[in-house]
């Protein structure tokens, strides 16, 4: 059962690689494949919601030897929204006229396959393999641009993220060295009885690797040129889907495998998160082009995820998950909208901007509120003021972006009506989940009890 | 043995980072190759301790780390090929591989 989404992605990407992606129907085939993966993941969600944990050990090996794939609340809670975002982006790209390159559709399916694998694997090294599958495809996607500056930024993106992958690989080696296993729950159990205290060194390496992927403050330098210069659909895919590896990895390795190390690094996480929010917001205010404002804004927004992890506990983990999902949907919407013109686009951008600033009834309010409550119930009340300050700054730069984008230029050719309707529907979905956030909150609370234990 | 491996990893990793700080994109690519292989060396050396937990005197090597390194070598190889093809595209677009030259504002 758990093989189904991966098998669909695997077969579809092999087929798509052989086809010419510039033909319209090949782009639609890629969309069908991603929708198939989404449907299979929703079926798995059903199983998980019924209290089962679908799992399989690859190759028929006995438990503890082979690579284990399993769907738990954390994995499925990421897989379903992320596949949904990719499907929405693919739909809009197809309506816009399809792909301009031969391997474009295959690469998008490969990114989805890699992400799904990352979310379902219970093996630390297998995590690395799937992770590199999606990263490698994303490198190629950014390099597909028609202009020299696109390939230039893809080299930056590739070199910095290879460094992140190397840090991750070293920490997987360290985890294996310390525990003698690669299975995450088994490693967590062995680390739990470690007489030498929390595995701070390995934990720090994991942290550095995922912070680099997320583009958090000391490692944020690569994000603005890459998100700002690459083509808009690619930027939407990177910030809406791929960046989730960072927050997922922090929750999985920090929350599940090394909770003691996460607890030991609380102060560091809070300090880095707070600094990231301040620096990202300040730089976003000082920028003019919309793509650059959005790039700096995604740096700032990821800082909140770090704050939530630093707060920790049930409320903190739930807030980290909810915030990550809200932010992905908002960023995917904003980047797609920034690449379109005409009526309804302004309204969609406004919903995305309200979501980033955390204003009700947009989706972002749910994330901000979860974080706010976690901070209020926790020991560090100063965070509450920081979160409100960050939201005010976000309001300021998003309003500037809106002005820049929709008040200054009205003479451009409009996007096709079908594209505009699709984007408007995307924005309405973001609004609906803002008004009716129960699915998101429910998944967040399930993930929190998975990671932090205790009753629901 | 452990000290020799640790020193080896440190030297390769340090040399890789030094190359990545260079403005020349070919040197940056060479740096990523060195850094990736430092990680592979590290994993090879990580296999020695997991064994020591089970037996006092290790007589066989850990096959799992070798499988891991084999996998990550293949990934490194693929990425290196992709990186060099991107460098080739950059050279065709800009006529140079000096990142200072490329990023100079017009």
């Amino acid at each position: 059962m758990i093989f189904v989404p991966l098998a669909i992605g695997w077969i579809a990407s092999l087929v798509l690689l052989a086809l010419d992606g510039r033909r319209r129907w090949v782009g639609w085939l890629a969309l069908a494949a991603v929708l198939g993966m989404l449907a299979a993941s929703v079926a798995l969600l059903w199983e998980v919601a019924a209290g089962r944990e679908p799992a399989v050990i690859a190759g028929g090996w006995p438990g503890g030897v082979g690579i284990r794939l399993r769907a738990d609340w954390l994995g499925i809670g990421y897989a379903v929204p992320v596949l949904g975002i990719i499907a929405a982006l693919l739909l809009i790209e197809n309506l816009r006229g399809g792909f301009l390159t031969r391997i474009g559709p295959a690469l998008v399916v490969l990114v989805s396959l890699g992400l799904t694998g990352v979310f379902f694997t219970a093996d630390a090294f297998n995590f690395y393999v799937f992770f590199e599958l999606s990263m490698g495809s994303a490198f190629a996607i950014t390099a597909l641009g028609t202009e020299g500056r696109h390939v230039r930024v893809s080299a930056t993106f590739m070199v910095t993220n290879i460094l992140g992958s190397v840090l991750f690989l070293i920490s997987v080696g360290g985890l294996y060295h310390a525990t003698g296993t690669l299975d995450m729950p088994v490693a967590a159990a062995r680390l739990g009885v470690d007489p030498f205290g929390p595995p701070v060194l390995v934990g720090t390496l994991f942290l550095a690797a995922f912070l680099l992927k997320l583009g958090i403050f000391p490692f944020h330098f690569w994000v603005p040129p890459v998100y700002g210069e690459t083509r808009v659909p690619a930027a939407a895919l990177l910030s809406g889907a791929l960046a989730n590896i960072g927050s997922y990895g922090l929750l999985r390795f920090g929350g599940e495998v090394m909770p003691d190390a996460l607890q030991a690094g609380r102060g560091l996480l809070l300090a880095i998160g707070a600094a990231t929010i301040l620096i990202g917001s300040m730089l976003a205010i000082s920028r003019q082009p919309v793509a650059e404002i959005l790039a700096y804004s995604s740096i700032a927004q990821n800082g909140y995820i770090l704050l939530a992890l630093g707060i920790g506990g049930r409320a903190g983990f739930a807030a980290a998950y909810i915030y990550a999902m809200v932010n992905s949907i908002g960023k995917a919407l904003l980047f797609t909208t920034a690449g379109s013109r005409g009526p309804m686009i302004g309204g969609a951008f406004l919903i995305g901007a309200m979501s980033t600033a955390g204003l009700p009834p947009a989706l972002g309010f749910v994330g901000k509120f979860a974080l706010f409550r976690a901070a209020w119930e926790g020991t560090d009340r100063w965070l509450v003021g920081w979160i409100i300050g960050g939201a005010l700054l976000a309001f300021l730069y998003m309003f500037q972006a809106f002005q820049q984008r929709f008040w200054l230029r009205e003479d451009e050719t409009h996007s096709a009506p079908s594209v505009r309707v699709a984007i408007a529907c995307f924005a309405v979905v973001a609004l609906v989940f803002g008004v009716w956030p129960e699915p998101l909150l429910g998944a967040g609370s399930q993930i929190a009890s998975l990671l932090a234990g205790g009753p629901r | 043995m452990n000290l020799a491996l640790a020193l080896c990893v440190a030297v390769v990793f340090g040399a890789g980072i030094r190359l990545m700080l260079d403005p020349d994109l070919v040197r940056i690519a060479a740096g990523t190759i060195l850094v990736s292989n430092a990680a592979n060396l590290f994993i090879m050396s990580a296999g020695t301790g997991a064994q020591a937990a089970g037996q006092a005197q290790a007589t066989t090597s850990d096959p799992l780390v070798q499988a891991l390194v084999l996998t990550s070598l293949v990934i490194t190889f693929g990425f290196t090929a992709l990186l060099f093809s991107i460098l080739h595209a950059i050279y065709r677009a800009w006529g140079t591989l000096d990142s200072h030259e490329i990023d100079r504002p017009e």
Side-chain angles (χ1 to χ4, degrees):
Chain A
M1 184 62 181
I2 190 161
F3 271 131
V4 178
L6 296 172
I8 294 174
W10 207 266
I11 294 165
S13 52
L14 285 179
V15 170
L16 286 166
L17 275 172
L19 297 171
D20 185 354
R22 285 166 293 189
R23 294 178 196 279
R24 299 288 293 268
W25 62 272
V26 179
W28 291 106
L29 189 64
L31 176 61
V34 174
L35 284 177
M37 292 167 77
L38 179 61
S41 303
V42 170
L44 284 173
L45 174 65
W46 221 251
E47 294 257 314
V48 174
R52 286 185 290 273
E53 190 182 280
V56 69
I57 296 173
W61 289 92
V65 179
I67 294 170
R68 202 159 60 87
L69 294 166
R70 54 93 186 80
D72 58 6
W73 267 108
L74 181 56
I76 203 79
Y78 265 86
V80 171
V82 167
L83 286 172
I85 290 171
I86 296 176
L89 293 175
L90 257 176
L91 173 70
I92 292 168
E93 186 73 357
N94 275 324
L95 290 173
R96 213 173 248 158
F99 288 83
L100 299 173
T101 45
R102 228 188 130 75
I103 55 168
L107 288 174
V108 176
V109 176
L110 279 170
V111 168
S112 329
L113 171 64
L115 286 168
T116 316
V118 161
F119 298 145
F120 287 164
T121 187
D123 182 281
F125 192 80
N126 197 229
F127 185 110
Y128 165 77
V129 173
F130 276 119
F131 167 67
E132 294 296 50
L133 179 65
S134 56
M135 288 314 295
S137 316
F139 297 152
I141 285 177
T142 52
L144 284 180
T146 45
E147 294 171 37
R149 62 196 174 98
H150 294 150
V151 270
R152 169 70 189 95
V153 294
S154 80
T156 309
F157 178 46
M158 194 164 177
V159 170
T160 47
N161 279 279
I162 286 181
L163 194 57
S165 305
V166 165
L167 290 178
F168 179 71
L169 187 56
I170 291 177
S171 31
V172 170
L175 186 69
Y176 179 65
H177 183 77
T179 62
T181 181
L182 289 166
D183 196 79
M184 294 176 195
V186 179
R190 290 192 191 167
L191 286 174
V193 294
D194 195 347
F196 303 108
V200 173
L201 193 63
V202 177
T204 312
L205 271 171
F206 271 119
L207 182 67
F210 291 121
L211 292 190
L212 209 155
K213 296 280 160 191
L214 262 176
I216 298 279
F217 156 58
F219 310 107
H220 66 291
F221 53 88
W222 67 270
V223 175
V226 173
Y227 287 12
E229 294 274 325
T230 191
R231 290 159 309 120
V232 175
L237 186 71
L238 294 188
S239 64
L242 204 70
N244 282 314
I245 294 184
S247 60
Y248 174 79
L250 286 173
L251 277 172
R252 182 64 86 188
F253 284 97
E256 185 186 359
V257 181
M258 286 177 273
D260 295 342
L262 191 70
Q263 191 59 34
R266 261 192 92 237
L268 182 70
L269 288 173
L270 291 179
I272 295 177
T276 306
I277 294 170
L278 186 66
I279 289 171
S281 308
M282 286 305 188
L283 288 169
I285 288 174
S286 68
R287 296 293 144 162
Q288 288 287 321
V290 176
E292 273 193 45
I293 295 179
L294 291 181
Y296 281 106
S297 147
S298 38
I299 296 174
Q301 297 297 312
N302 287 334
Y304 290 101
I305 300 175
L306 226 58
L307 279 191
L309 278 168
I311 293 167
R314 290 181 45 82
F317 287 138
Y321 165 74
I322 293 168
Y323 206 93
M325 286 304 112
V326 162
N327 185 36
S328 305
I329 296 172
K331 276 288 158 335
L333 175 64
L334 280 172
F335 271 109
T336 340
T337 317
S340 312
R341 310 274 184 273
M344 292 193 283
I345 297 298
F349 193 88
L350 196 64
I351 291 174
M354 281 166 67
S355 178
T356 305
L359 294 176
L363 184 56
F365 176 70
V366 180
K368 283 276 196 306
F369 188 75
L371 188 56
F372 193 91
R373 216 178 59 179
W376 187 253
E377 287 168 0
T379 49
D380 302 272
R381 291 269 174 95
W382 61 274
L383 288 171
V384 173
W386 202 275
I387 294 164
I388 295 175
L392 287 176
L393 289 175
F395 183 72
L396 200 61
Y397 63 70
M398 287 317 296
F399 185 68
Q400 275 186 342
F402 186 73
Q403 251 183 333
Q404 188 75 17
R405 179 68 191 71
F406 294 100
W407 288 3
L408 294 184
R409 299 180 205 138
E410 269 306 325
D411 51 337
E412 288 155 326
T413 49
H414 291 178
S415 306
S418 56
V419 175
R420 284 186 270 129
V421 169
I423 290 176
C425 290
F426 196 172
V428 167
V429 169
L431 210 53
V432 164
F433 279 109
V435 180
W436 179 63
E438 269 76 12
L440 210 54
L441 296 180
S445 118
Q446 292 285 0
I447 287 168
S449 37
L450 180 80
L451 295 179
R456 269 204 64 197
Chain B
M1 185 61 190
N2 270 343
L3 184 67
L5 271 172
L7 279 176
C8 193
V9 171
V11 168
V12 175
F13 199 91
I17 293 289
R18 169 66 191 82
L19 281 174
M20 286 172 92
L21 297 174
D22 202 273
D24 185 15
L25 289 176
V26 176
R27 285 181 172 226
I28 293 177
T32 57
I33 298 174
L34 282 185
V35 165
S36 308
N37 283 302
N40 292 337
L41 261 177
F42 177 83
I43 294 186
M44 285 300 278
S45 55
T48 52
Q51 249 180 3
Q55 57 208 86
Q57 190 68 43
T59 48
T60 51
S61 56
D62 185 350
L64 185 64
V65 287
Q66 302 185 9
L68 301 186
V69 166
L70 199 61
T71 314
S72 73
L73 271 178
V74 174
I75 294 174
T76 307
F77 172 70
F79 277 13
T80 307
L82 182 60
L83 185 56
F84 275 102
S85 68
I86 287 176
L87 290 195
H88 179 68
I90 291 178
Y91 187 75
R92 274 195 313 187
W94 303 87
T96 176
L97 283 174
D98 185 335
S99 54
H100 287 174
E101 200 78 13
I102 295 169
D103 297 337
R104 180 175 296 160
E106 279 112 46

